[in-house]
Amino acid sequence: MAFLRRCVKSGLRYRKNLESFSGLSVVLSHRNYCAEKLALKSEPKHDWNRAVSDAEKIVGYPTSFLSLRCLLSDEIANVALHLRQLVGSDHPLTKTAKHLVYNGKTNMQAWGLIVLLVSKAAGCSPNIPDMEMDKSAGVLHSQRVIAEVTEMIRTSHLLHQGLINLQPLENFGNDLSSESDTIFGNKIALLSGDYLLGNASVELSKLRNHELNALISSTGRDLAESNFIGDRDDQNIPLPSDPKKKSPESQDATSDTNSMDIDNLKPMCLKGVMGNPEKEWAVRNILSAGGLLGKGCQGALMVAGLDEDMQKQGYLFGKNLALAWQACIDLEPFKQETIPAKMQFSLVSAPVLFHLDHDHSLYEEIRKGHKSVDNINFEYVHSEVRKGPGLEMTRNLGRKYCEAAMKVLSKLENTDARVALENIILAMHDM
């Protein structure tokens, strides 16, 4: 023990002498500085979950479930009880419900959040009465309603997409007793989607704004039209256009998509679109998603009393952000070298469309799916697309729409809401 005490005392004296050395403090401080920098560097520069979490704090509360008021009603509670019967079945509704609840980077449940952030970033006219303002969040009560309506319409559309055709037309009238799970799943998908869509209409009508009603109602037309564009299999799953059958207009078409919906209250012009990979991809996704987010942002600026030019910028921001988001989603299945057996991905995703334009021979495999996409060898399509230029072209496509959204933000004042939107775009850019 005496020996140990002498060792400790001598060690303390040695440490004291070292610390008195004039250069050691500099060395130690430099070492601590480097350690701090490395710790910061190991952290992702733009993290998706952090960007969304910080953005939700700006508008007052988490917005992942803006339609929660409807989801807590007795009707939806009963639907949830019946939905349990589908667990374990192959009905797509169970997968839709999972994606609605899972708050991952590839879902679109932050749309209401985007609408609220755009509302706060753009501000409102000084003529708006103070009683209309939700001062805790810095947005109008009507703008919060529009955010909720946008979420409900989107969720309704996703639920309706889960409907399955029970039998081919040529077998119509056959006994369906063995398809009880499918029939029940269809009923739940149809009625749940209709319920949310009906509630969205009721909430929108309470704002008593005819121009806003016309704008948001046009998204219903767009969503319906998106289900009838191009070739589809018997289950209404979309198939890409044959690249060998390009029209002269599509061959000469530019990649500018903003000219297609100058007046977004009218149906989109589809001339020269099918067969042009970028325009076909853009039109499909503007009608099925981007137009709704864009018009939600435009409507929020409309009720704020801002001029038409600013409203148009709101539309362009929402549309471009949705398209950038979709480009990120389209890349997800192709980040893996192989895909699990029986896994399917969208055949009208950007990487596939770009590759078909590069290599027409792949369409021979796509052609097998005109009766059912189950006949397509998705592993082969996945492997071929990974070899081609489609992935890099899709990354460039995402960057293009990220930059377009950033360009709109640059016209707004530098506020915490604008910074939150920029962080979401940067996190999307880094995916």
Side-chain angles (χ1 to χ4, degrees):
M1 289 295 294
F3 174 76
L4 287 175
R5 282 196 293 270
R6 286 196 298 271
C7 288
V8 171
K9 287 180 180 179
S10 62
L12 290 172
R13 285 196 299 270
Y14 181 66
R15 180 186 177 99
K16 188 175 181 181
N17 291 335
L18 279 177
E19 288 179 348
S20 65
F21 183 67
S22 60
L24 183 61
S25 59
V26 177
V27 173
L28 288 173
S29 62
H30 178 70
R31 185 179 63 185
N32 292 336
Y33 173 77
C34 291
E36 290 173 1
K37 292 296 285 183
L38 286 172
L40 290 172
K41 206 168 186 179
S42 64
E43 211 173 277
K45 187 175 181 182
H46 300 291
D47 179 74
W48 171 260
N49 292 329
R50 177 178 294 180
V52 171
S53 178
D54 291 345
E56 287 179 333
K57 294 174 185 175
I58 291 171
V59 293
Y61 63 87
T63 57
S64 300
F65 298 97
L66 276 175
S67 53
L68 194 58
R69 287 189 298 169
C70 287
L71 296 178
L72 289 175
S73 66
D74 292 338
E75 291 88 347
I76 292 297
N78 290 330
V79 167
L81 290 175
H82 291 304
L83 190 60
R84 293 175 59 185
Q85 299 179 30
L86 290 178
V87 175
S89 71
D90 294 329
H91 199 282
L93 181 59
T94 56
K95 186 183 294 185
T96 302
K98 175 184 175 182
H99 285 301
L100 289 175
V101 174
Y102 173 63
N103 191 24
K105 65 184 179 183
T106 58
N107 78 357
M108 297 294 284
Q109 288 305 295
W111 278 21
L113 172 63
I114 300 299
V115 173
L116 292 177
L117 288 172
V118 169
S119 303
K120 188 167 184 176
C124 61
S125 168
N127 299 325
I128 301 293
D130 288 343
M131 63 181 298
E132 293 289 328
M133 179 68 70
D134 179 354
K135 294 184 178 179
S136 62
V139 297
L140 302 176
H141 294 293
S142 55
Q143 290 175 325
R144 194 175 289 283
V145 170
I146 293 172
E148 292 175 355
V149 165
T150 304
E151 286 272 14
M152 284 191 279
I153 294 175
R154 173 62 173 165
T155 304
S156 169
H157 178 63
L158 292 174
L159 290 171
H160 283 157
Q161 292 292 93
L163 288 168
I164 296 179
N165 290 336
L166 298 177
Q167 56 188 354
L169 187 61
E170 57 267 23
N171 296 333
F172 180 75
N174 289 354
D175 180 34
L176 292 173
S177 57
S178 62
E179 301 290 339
S180 58
D181 283 345
T182 303
I183 295 172
F184 182 73
N186 280 356
K187 288 180 180 179
I188 297 296
L190 180 63
L191 295 175
S192 302
D194 286 354
Y195 178 79
L196 287 174
L197 194 59
N199 269 275
S201 300
V202 170
E203 293 298 319
L204 194 62
S205 66
K206 291 178 181 178
L207 298 181
R208 300 180 180 276
N209 187 318
H210 296 300
E211 291 183 3
L212 179 66
N213 275 327
L215 178 68
I216 303 300
S217 297
S218 67
T219 64
R221 177 204 62 214
D222 295 341
L223 293 173
E225 188 177 354
S226 70
N227 288 317
F228 296 94
I229 289 183
D231 296 330
R232 291 172 178 263
D233 77 345
D234 287 351
Q235 287 295 335
N236 202 38
I237 296 176
L239 297 168
S241 302
D242 187 344
K244 292 182 180 179
K245 295 182 179 179
K246 286 183 180 179
S247 65
E249 294 89 351
S250 67
Q251 291 177 348
D252 299 333
T254 66
S255 60
D256 178 27
T257 59
N258 287 332
S259 60
M260 294 187 295
D261 54 351
I262 295 174
D263 184 354
N264 58 16
L265 287 177
K266 296 180 179 178
M268 290 185 68
C269 177
L270 302 182
K271 183 178 180 181
V273 166
M274 307 311 287
N276 180 300
E278 184 171 342
K279 278 206 164 186
E280 179 177 339
W281 176 85
V283 166
R284 287 180 183 275
N285 288 291
I286 290 172
L287 289 175
S288 65
L292 175 59
L293 183 57
K295 290 175 183 180
C297 294
Q298 180 180 352
L301 302 189
M302 180 187 294
V303 298
L306 301 179
D307 59 50
E308 290 187 6
D309 181 62
M310 183 60 75
Q311 294 174 29
K312 184 65 175 179
Q313 293 302 312
Y315 171 74
L316 291 175
F317 175 80
K319 181 189 76 170
N320 289 326
L321 183 66
L323 292 178
W325 209 327
Q326 187 61 46
C328 292
I329 294 173
D330 287 356
L331 280 171
E332 284 295 317
F334 298 96
K335 290 181 178 178
Q336 309 170 27
E337 292 186 5
T338 58
I339 60 171
K342 296 184 179 180
M343 175 185 171
Q344 295 184 358
F345 48 84
S346 173
L347 295 169
V348 292
S349 61
V352 177
L353 291 176
F354 282 130
H355 187 87
L356 287 173
D357 193 55
H358 166 73
D359 179 11
H360 296 177
S361 64
L362 184 62
Y363 194 76
E364 293 305 314
E365 184 65 33
I366 303 293
R367 201 185 302 275
K368 298 176 184 177
H370 277 262
K371 189 71 176 174
S372 171
V373 295
D374 293 334
N375 299 327
I376 296 175
N377 185 341
F378 277 84
E379 290 87 352
Y380 172 71
V381 175
H382 182 273
S383 174
E384 291 299 303
V385 171
R386 277 183 57 87
K387 296 175 187 175
L391 300 187
E392 186 57 33
M393 294 177 75
T394 303
R395 292 188 189 95
N396 292 334
L397 187 68
R399 294 188 192 105
K400 169 185 171 181
Y401 286 109
C402 280
E403 290 170 3
M406 281 288 199
K407 184 178 179 181
V408 175
L409 287 182
S410 66
K411 300 177 182 179
L412 304 178
E413 293 183 11
N414 190 14
T415 61
D416 54 354
R418 172 184 155 178
V419 171
L421 288 168
E422 289 173 347
N423 287 338
I424 288 175
I425 294 172
L426 291 172
M428 195 184 306
H429 189 276
D430 290 346
M431 283 181 188

